[in-house]
Amino acid sequence: MNSADNQSRHLSVHIARTVDDVYAYASDPLNLPAWARGLGGSIKRVDDQWVAESSPMGRVVVTFVPRNELGVLDHEVTLPSGETAYNPVRVISDGTGSEVVFTLRRQPRMSDADFERDADTVAGDLNRLRELMESA
């Protein structure tokens, strides 16, 4: 196994809103299209699953951890191929505001260019979340 296959990158953004405010907004799947454009422009509940039909990867199923008191927003994205990507995300206290930390994990056989593209997408998503939260 290539050591690059185990590579992770922590991307974060400071948001001038409380942990409770950020977590309440970010943990609601219906808010994802507004800030997590990497998952596409819409998400809907289909049976017991959250489905993003128009993601750049095609139809994906997103499975979230249950809401919790710890600020954990972890989720799995199941791709059309059946592959599943696990995404650790945390909302943590940062002074009077909060910090959202997304751990981007390099997928097996992912090229350097694809990993950088994913990192740019996640950074853009986190910045949109900050802009939305701070303008509300």
Side-chain angles (χ1 to χ4, degrees), residues 90-135:
R90 303 291 185 274
V91 181
I92 58 176
S93 180
D94 186 15
T96 59
S98 58
E99 182 177 12
V100 179
V101 181
F102 187 111
T103 300
L104 179 65
R105 304 183 92 175
R106 186 179 189 133
Q107 299 304 304
R109 300 168 304 283
M110 179 179 266
S111 71
D112 290 344
D114 287 342
F115 189 58
E116 290 304 318
R117 191 171 17 263
D118 277 3
D120 289 345
T121 297
V122 169
D125 289 349
L126 293 175
N127 283 320
R128 265 186 299 286
L129 177 61
R130 178 182 47 79
E131 290 165 6
L132 284 166
M133 293 301 305
E134 290 182 354
S135 68

Side-chain angles (χ1 to χ4, degrees), residues 5-6 8 11 21 27-28 33 35 39 42 50 53-55 67-68 74 98 102 104 126 129 131 133-134 136:
D5 289 341
N6 293 325
S8 292
L11 302 154
D21 288 347
S27 66
D28 184 344
W35 67 274
L39 287 177
S42 67
W50 287 99
E53 298 282 352
S54 60
S55 88
R67 287 193 182 198
N68 58 80
D74 293 8
S98 58
F102 187 111
L104 179 65
L126 293 175
L129 177 61
E131 290 165 6
M133 293 301 305
E134 290 182 354

Side-chain angles (χ1 to χ4, degrees), residues 65-81:
V65 298
R67 287 193 182 198
N68 58 80
E69 300 292 320
L70 302 173
V72 176
L73 293 171
D74 293 8
H75 59 281
E76 292 181 328
V77 177
T78 303
L79 305 173
S81 67

